[in-house]
Each structure stands twice: as C-alpha cells, then as structure tokens.
Amino acid sequence: MNTLSRRGFIAASAATLSAAAVPSLLLPVRPAHAQGHKVVTAGKRVIEVKGKPANVFGLTQADGSSGLVMNAGDNFRVTLKNLIGEPTAIHWHGLTPPWRQDGVAGISQEPIPDGGSHDYDFPVARPGTFWMHSHFGLQEQLMLAAPLIVRDPDEAGQDVQEVVVLFHDFTFRDPKEILAELKAGGHDMSAMAPAPAPAASGHEGHNMPGMAMGSGQMDHGTMDHGAMGGMQMGGGQMAGPAGAMSHLQDVQYDALLANDRTLDDPEVFTVEPGGRVRLRLINGAASTNMWLDLGQLQGRLIAVDGMPVEPLEGQRFEFAVAQRLDIMLELPKQASAWPILAVQEGGRMRSGIVLAARGASVGKLADMADEDFPAVGVGLEQKLRAARPLDDKAATRKHTMMLGEGPNYVWTLDGAMHGQDKPLAVASGDRFELTFMNHTTMSHPMHLHGHHFQVVAVNGKRFAGAVRDTVLVPAKMGMVTIAFDADNAGNWALHCHHLYHMAGGMMTSMAYAD
C-alpha cells in the first residue's frame, strides 16, 4: 500500500542528494529492537509536495526507518551523525535525560559540526509518544524531525495495531526569508481568530482564541533582533495586546504534511475491520495549531504528550504545536477506508493518512475542509484529567511569567528576549508552580525541558489536569498554571515552541541552584 509512486521518480532523479541521503518517505516505525547501540543520521533528502520536488532534512537509522523505537527500561544509547551540511543539535522532546544530554545548542551542548557526531547514553524510564527535532537555527521548519516512540513492555502482548503519524507545516520558502519578513513588518494576519464553533463530541468550551504554533530552535548565540519596523495587522500597525485583535497565523504555508505526504498521495495503512488501532500522533509543525479529525470514527484519547490521561471519547481533538495525542480506535466490522485528518486552526488546509481494510477502495481526498475550523484553545485542556497525577503537596516555590510582545517581531518572557533574560531559579526538591500569563495577541505553546508537569489551573480555575511537557497558553490575558517537582538538576530550556516566536526571543532557561 505504501508505494512511492511519483516520489520514487523524484528521489531517484535528485542528483544533488548525497549517498547518505534519507528516503523521501517517513516510514512506519519498526518493532522495538533489543536494547543496544543505535546510530541516527541527520541528512538531506528530497520529497514531493504538490507535484514539486523539495529539499529537506531528515533523521533516520541505517535501515532507512525514520526516528527511533525502544522500550521503557532501555538505555538511550545513540550516536547522532550530522550530514546536513551545517551545524545542528537534536533535542529528544519528552524524554528527561541528564541536562548535558538534552540536545540544546548553547544551553546543554555545543552544536555538532557538519560531518561530526555526538554520543548519548542515559536510561529511559517512561513509555510514551515522544519525538526528536532540531534545536538549532530554523532547521525544524526544514523537517529535521522524527518520531521517538518508547513502548511499554507490559503492553507487548496486546492485539493492537500501532500507527505513527508526524504532522508538519511545509513551505517552499527559505525560513530565514520568512523570519526577515516578519521582523520587517510582514506579519501575516490573514487568519484572524474566528468565533468559537459549537462544541462537538470530544471538545467543548472554545471561548479562548488559539494561535499558530511551531517547533524548532534558533542558534541561541547569534539571534538577530535588529529593528526592522512594526508588525502589521491587515494593512495597519499592530498596536500590541491593548485593543489589538488576536490572530492565528504568522506564516502562509504551501501545504500540511502527514508522514511527509499531502492528501494528493496519502500514506495508506492496511488495517483489519473490527480490529483495534492505536494512533500515535505528533504535531511537529513549526507554527500551526491543528484539529485532529477522526471523521466517522469515534476515538478514545488515552494519553497526551506521552503521559496517560483518564480516557476521553471524541471525534475531534485540539492539537497544539509540539503536543502529542494517543488515540485508541475500535474499527467497524464492515470493510472500508477511514481518513484520519489534521486541519489547521482558523482555516481549511488539511493533511492526513488513511486506514483501509485490505481491498477497500480509497477515494480521492480534498486538501481543504468544507468549512473553517475554529481556533485551538483550552477546551480540551480543561477536560483532561491525569491518570497518574502528581502527589498532593503544597508548592514551595511559585512564579508568574509574563508572555509579551513588542515591535520588530520581538517576543519576550518576563520582559526580556533570550540573551538578555535572567534564568528562572529553582532548587532540587521544590514543588514549583509556574503560571504563564499571556499579554500578547497570539497564543503560545510553552515547553519546559527535562521535566513533566501537571496542568493545575486555567484562567484561575483549579483542577487536576493532564501531565504534559507542552501546554498552550491562550492569547490576550490567557493564564495557565503548571506544577512540577524539581528532580532533574541542570540548566533547562523553557520556551515557546512556535519556531518564529522562539527566534524572536521567547525563550529562557530554568537553572537549579545546586
């Protein structure tokens, strides 16, 4: 079912690819291997998007499989080779390694030069759906990302088919040109925050507008925040949060991708009618929040960001940048084909994969939904409850962090851009409560490295929410409180996972006193 079709021709004819280039197709993950040393290569590849070849990056093993699969209890013994033609650093998003193995250029390690390699070795305790991506420059926009799946050995005997999907937003443009235009006042305001849609099965309460997010990382020592003029709203100047309308997208994309493919040629997974499927879904977009749309299927959400939640039934789920959804499906007994789609917030662009019974007809799928989807907000977040919440104890340290914006595409934390910021202080043993208060016109997916946290309040309302590593903070005075135990000493990145916001300065670190 996974024929390369036109892709095979494009990959074969791409004379510029090196001998170590990775395949143009993101392969489904392989069964977990016995514990041992693995080699992951960051390399160049060519994929097809809308009938045109595109030069991108990728992360593969020697057998051509994309990303990594391992078991909880294994050691993460990995050599990362860099063959992309420039320095890089790869972050193991969702894992909690020792600080110096977190893969963040300028904070936990030096960038790996082109042609160089770096060794990692640390225990992996928790199972979950995680991922890996560049934490250097704007490389994540060029698709330097892949799944990182840690399976639970206790679930090995279950009769469940696993389907892994990495979503991405794609542009043919150079991301450096995009960032330069944003700094020069080219703020794309084409997607304003739409009115909330009526609640559907699996989501409700979308009264807070959500914005486009992303992932990746800049070279923290060389960010250019030069004055280039103000951000624009339509044809007018953005005045800041006071009186400014919230908006959703900074960047216009050419397509959304699912496992490197558009709906012109989606990946088709053969499934058994009446069988069970576990979807492991990763929003690896640089700056696009999405809705996960199961169509005619009813799903049971069992984990977010790799951490289990009390099961939640639904057909549509909010899916912010860098977040992951694990959804269990009980397929109908009638042989058919079932699209699994991701749709951009505030718009209609979509991508996805197809689950199909053997011999079922797979019809052509439009790459646009029939109607605009609403902004991604905190409706789902407010409904989630952790299956294994933090121990009940009082916070020993609290901090409210202000999320801000300014002219020239500047984004700040506590009033400072990265490079001018003061690290957030923490001490081993703290129960830390961190409140994000968003004074900006866009929402921000905030990610803390090296820890998992529990969402304990949204807009001041307390509840025992999901355990996560990335949480969306709504625009225009939205407020989210997280709690975590300070149990992994080091100096940890804390940032917005919207790639261009992070490049605009919305990043700091959390430094242990010990």
Side-chain angles (χ1 to χ4, degrees), residues 4-175:
L4 289 180
S5 63
R6 303 184 304 275
R7 302 168 181 277
F9 172 77
I10 287 179
S13 62
T16 57
L17 279 179
S18 70
V22 300
S24 61
L25 178 68
L26 181 74
L27 299 175
V29 292
R30 303 284 195 257
H33 301 292
Q35 181 178 2
H37 178 257
K38 295 177 171 61
V39 177
V40 173
T41 299
K44 300 176 183 179
R45 59 199 177 114
V46 173
I47 64 171
E48 178 196 347
V49 180
K50 300 292 185 180
K52 296 167 58 178
N55 295 303
V56 297
F57 297 142
L59 293 162
T60 58
Q61 294 190 67
D63 64 357
S65 58
S66 179
L68 287 169
V69 184
M70 59 185 59
N71 286 322
D74 286 354
N75 265 36
F76 190 88
R77 294 195 177 105
V78 173
T79 294
L80 178 69
K81 292 185 176 179
N82 178 18
L83 297 177
I84 67 171
E86 59 186 74
T88 194
I90 303 300
H91 168 53
W92 322 110
H93 189 124
L95 301 188
T96 54
W99 161 44
R100 288 295 189 183
Q101 301 194 56
D102 191 44
V104 180
I107 290 184
S108 62
Q109 71 171 76
E110 293 300 314
I112 304 169
D114 181 47
S117 65
H118 195 88
D119 293 326
Y120 302 85
D121 190 349
F122 56 87
V124 178
R126 291 187 176 99
T129 300
F130 309 119
W131 63 304
M132 58 183 85
H133 61 81
S134 172
H135 233 290
F136 186 84
L138 300 172
Q139 293 168 352
E140 201 281 329
Q141 180 71 85
L142 295 170
M143 302 178 64
L144 192 52
L148 201 175
I149 307 302
V150 181
R151 293 186 176 138
D152 187 342
D154 294 338
E155 298 175 351
Q158 295 182 356
D159 185 18
V160 178
Q161 182 177 350
E162 187 174 273
V163 172
V164 179
V165 187
L166 175 67
F167 295 100
H168 209 287
D169 44 18
F170 175 83
T171 174
F172 284 103
R173 301 185 61 203
D174 184 339

Side-chain angles (χ1 to χ4, degrees), residues 273-301:
R276 293 195 299 161
V277 173
R278 178 176 185 154
L279 300 174
R280 293 183 181 267
L281 308 173
I282 303 163
N283 186 345
S287 66
T288 303
N289 286 333
M290 304 178 190
W291 284 89
L292 195 283
D293 184 4
L294 299 177
Q296 299 302 311
L297 296 176
Q298 186 83 358
R300 189 170 76 255
L301 182 64

Side-chain angles (χ1 to χ4, degrees), residues 328-345:
M328 291 293 295
L329 301 174
E330 306 280 346
L331 296 178
K333 294 182 179 180
Q334 297 78 19
S336 187
W338 300 279
I340 306 297
L341 303 172
V343 188
Q344 69 177 150
E345 66 171 347

